[in-house]
Amino acid sequence: MPSNSDSANFFRDLTPFTNFEEVTEDRHFRPNSKDWYVVITDVKGSTKAIEAGRYKDVNTIGAATIAAVQNTLTDLEFPFVFGGDGATLLIPGSCRDLVAEKLAALRNLSKQNFDLELRVGVVAVSEVVADSAVIEVAKFELVPGKSFAILRGGGLTVAEKLVKGSPERYEVPEADSAEVDLTGLSCRWRDIPAKRGCVLSMLVAANEGGPSNPKKVYLDLLQEMEKLFTDSLRASNPVDLTSMSYLTAGQCLQNEKRFHSRLSLSCLLRYLEIVLTNVLFRWKRFPKWLTPRRYLASMREHSDYRKFDDMLRMIIDCSAAEVEKLTAYLEAAHQQGELFYGLHQSDSSLMTCYV
């Protein structure tokens, strides 16, 4: 486990904020400890895999990197951001070798069971800072006791460029094993259909060299979205409890099988849990101690459909008229040199669960 010199409680001790618009306020951010490391993971060739209809597989491996590290550092609270085809994590220096070992094993598992190549790179925060960038961290609280990280400062972009530009230096070595603990990772829900017309995926990066302060660009956008959306931005959470449904037991078991490199007791226990859970939710026969309404409600409350890691990332359920207005706003801001953006529309969203 991390030593005191690693400032192991850095993220745990941050005071959280609860209003997402405050993501632009300096008072919530603290420089990340310099004796930590940035871990960058992403699926190589993810664009082609998604075009081939393998979005769920790409998404699952991306989330698996978080599960693997959290199951390794069980007593540590650390910042991370899920990016769809991978994740960015910050870990204490004393955990660097152990995390690298587990993620190397995950890379093997990904190649063997998913036929996807996972990139895993590790860069020292001190090296990123020496490159005139910073990594600042804030803590956004979804509900009491449940928070996730907000990261800014350009350091993550520098770390990603280093990993991709010099893989021989920053990517972790190959591992012989494919054994990795992915307990808690599940993808047992069907796609969630759009309720208000479409699901919009949005990436927005303020132009650092633009005419306005980047913080103002993000704040203006969030405030504009509050005006544009009929029932407020919070109501645009794509997790719709009325339309969520479980995959069949067979589909869940097939998915779970790929999380294991060999049959084991823990694997068999997971299979049993899947079957029991599937029966409960399909037939709605719940024991008295289980409150499914509360569980489902918590999934919506805990959803990270809004996040920030050197850019604003959102997945929102909205109407065609709202998409049109938002697109017009973003395009005007882009033409003025304020920001860069990307939008993608879909008729559903994908729930990847990590408990």
Side-chain angles (χ1 to χ4, degrees), residues 6-292:
D6 284 319
S7 307
N9 296 327
F10 163 72
F11 186 63
R12 188 200 68 183
D13 293 341
L14 286 180
T15 301
F17 65 99
T18 57
N19 181 358
F20 191 77
E21 282 190 11
E22 294 179 13
V23 71
T24 61
E25 296 188 12
D26 294 341
R27 61 192 175 97
H28 297 308
F29 288 85
R30 299 289 181 273
N32 197 90
S33 300
K34 291 183 181 180
D35 50 8
W36 282 40
Y37 281 77
V38 186
V39 178
I40 302 286
T41 69
D42 71 281
V43 174
K44 296 181 181 180
S46 59
T47 301
K48 289 185 178 180
I50 291 170
E51 289 174 350
R54 301 192 61 199
Y55 185 83
K56 288 186 178 181
D57 287 345
V58 171
N59 197 256
T60 297
I61 291 300
T65 63
I66 299 170
V69 176
Q70 286 199 321
N71 288 334
T72 300
L73 310 180
T74 54
D75 298 325
L76 181 71
E77 191 174 349
F78 58 89
F80 64 82
V81 177
F82 175 51
D85 66 343
T88 300
L89 310 94
L90 294 165
I91 60 168
S94 60
C95 302
R96 189 255 182 225
D97 292 343
L98 179 59
V99 168
E101 177 187 339
K102 296 300 181 182
L103 289 179
L106 175 62
R107 183 168 58 192
N108 279 358
L109 182 75
S110 175
K111 187 180 297 184
Q112 293 174 15
N113 292 3
F114 289 80
D115 193 27
L116 291 173
E117 188 174 356
L118 179 68
R119 187 196 328 268
V120 181
V122 183
V123 182
V125 170
S126 59
E127 188 171 351
V128 171
V129 173
D131 200 17
S132 301
V134 297
I135 299 176
E136 295 181 324
V137 185
K139 197 173 185 180
F140 176 59
E141 187 174 69
L142 294 164
V143 294
K146 300 293 181 181
S147 304
F148 64 81
I150 303 292
L151 308 176
R152 74 174 192 185
L156 303 183
T157 302
V158 170
E160 183 176 1
K161 287 180 179 178
L162 290 173
V163 170
K164 292 183 177 180
S166 302
E168 69 286 347
R169 178 176 178 182
Y170 296 106
E171 286 195 27
V172 303
E174 295 287 339
D176 296 328
S177 172
E179 278 298 309
V180 58
D181 183 5
L182 297 178
T183 301
L185 177 68
S186 67
C187 303
R188 302 176 190 175
W189 295 96
R190 300 181 190 276
D191 291 2
I192 306 171
K195 188 175 183 180
R196 304 170 65 195
C198 79
V199 173
L200 183 70
S201 298
M202 179 179 78
L203 302 178
V204 177
N207 183 1
E208 295 290 337
S212 299
N213 186 305
K215 290 182 288 186
K216 184 178 185 302
V217 172
Y218 291 121
L219 180 59
D220 287 349
L221 171 59
L222 291 171
Q223 291 178 341
E224 183 66 22
M225 291 178 73
E226 283 291 341
K227 298 175 186 176
L228 289 179
F229 287 82
T230 307
D231 300 315
S232 84
L233 190 54
R234 183 179 291 272
S236 300
N237 186 334
V239 181
D240 177 30
L241 306 182
T242 63
S243 59
M244 291 175 62
S245 61
Y246 244 43
L247 296 170
T248 66
Q251 289 170 320
C252 291
L253 290 170
Q254 190 62 35
N255 288 339
E256 180 67 29
K257 182 180 178 181
R258 296 191 293 175
F259 292 167
H260 306 272
S261 60
R262 60 183 177 83
L263 193 63
S264 64
L265 177 59
S266 63
C267 176
L268 293 174
L269 290 174
R270 287 273 284 177
Y271 287 172
L272 178 60
E273 183 238 329
I274 286 171
V275 173
L276 291 175
T277 304
N278 195 276
V279 169
L280 290 175
F281 276 91
R282 183 166 294 274
W283 297 103
K284 295 181 172 53
R285 302 278 184 175
F286 302 104
K288 292 182 179 180
W289 50 266
L290 179 62
T291 52

Side-chain angles (χ1 to χ4, degrees), residues 323-338:
V323 172
E324 185 177 351
K325 292 176 183 177
L326 178 58
T327 303
Y329 176 88
L330 291 170
E331 182 58 27
H334 173 64
Q335 293 300 326
Q336 293 167 9
E338 300 278 11

